[in-house]
Amino acid sequence: MKKAGGIFAVMLLAGAVLVTGCAEQKVDFSSIQRPARSAELDAYNVFVGSWNWEAELVNADAPDKKWTGTAMWHWTMDDHWLHGQITAESERADFDAAGAWGWNQRTKKYVWWMFNNWGFAQEGTASYNEAERCWKMNYESVGLDGTPSYGYYLMKVVDNDNLEWHNVEWADMTHMIKKMEMKGTYKRK
């Protein structure tokens, strides 16, 4: 009987701990502060402005080989996010895209998203090599063909008015089935 009473007491105590631990906590915004802007975001400054771009779709034939467009980037959300808008056009296709680039303070990674007017999205992380002024932007997306895609952009800052870029996209996570490859340049307007 004593053993059953002891077990009951332990269960009662455990139940009380669980109930109070699951109780709704009050939010106190006096103890929550907006973090300072991360210095890592300054690496994006070179993109700010208006650009013309051109590219070659390496694994295509005319008239689908040549692409041109414009891009515009500016800071938003108290300079915590870089917002971009891009137009793209070939002889037989075109699309517009918008996106945001930032820094995730928790994971310590550059993050980015792009959405186009075909209803498809790209999202990924990026790394920046300051010595070479080169970005590598890995992503997962829905490609223009409507199927899953996995790829990367390499963006090399030649100087403050010229960027070189290379994009490769695959149909599979193992990068065995290449869907497309593009190479191009951005020139500041």
Side-chain angles (χ1 to χ4, degrees), residues 94-147:
D94 64 82
F95 65 90
D96 296 323
W101 291 261
W103 174 256
N104 184 320
Q105 292 188 35
R106 187 180 59 76
T107 62
K108 305 297 184 205
K109 290 185 178 186
Y110 289 100
V111 293
W112 62 279
W113 295 265
M114 284 190 43
F115 310 93
N116 67 38
N117 62 343
W118 290 26
F120 302 140
Q122 289 182 330
E123 69 175 289
T125 59
S127 58
Y128 180 60
N129 181 323
E130 186 175 3
E132 294 183 21
R133 296 184 79 187
C134 187
W135 289 90
K136 183 171 186 187
M137 304 172 74
N138 296 306
Y139 66 86
E140 292 184 15
S141 71
V142 176
L144 291 179
D145 62 357
T147 65

Side-chain angles (χ1 to χ4, degrees), residues 44-51 72-75 82 160 188:
Y44 286 128
N45 282 336
V46 71
F47 297 117
V48 173
S50 297
W51 302 78
M72 194 273 305
W73 284 285
H74 68 273
W75 286 109
L82 186 67
N160 289 337
R188 193 178 296 277

Side-chain angles (χ1 to χ4, degrees), residues 49-111:
S50 297
W51 302 78
N52 288 319
W53 66 268
E54 58 183 41
E56 175 184 306
L57 186 54
V58 175
N59 59 326
D61 294 321
D64 300 318
K65 201 166 194 64
K66 184 177 177 175
W67 285 78
T68 60
T70 62
M72 194 273 305
W73 284 285
H74 68 273
W75 286 109
T76 187
M77 303 297 210
D78 295 330
D79 293 345
H80 285 264
W81 289 96
L82 186 67
H83 177 260
Q85 293 181 273
I86 297 171
T87 66
E89 178 178 29
S90 72
E91 192 172 312
R92 298 194 298 185
D94 64 82
F95 65 90
D96 296 323
W101 291 261
W103 174 256
N104 184 320
Q105 292 188 35
R106 187 180 59 76
T107 62
K108 305 297 184 205
K109 290 185 178 186
Y110 289 100
V111 293

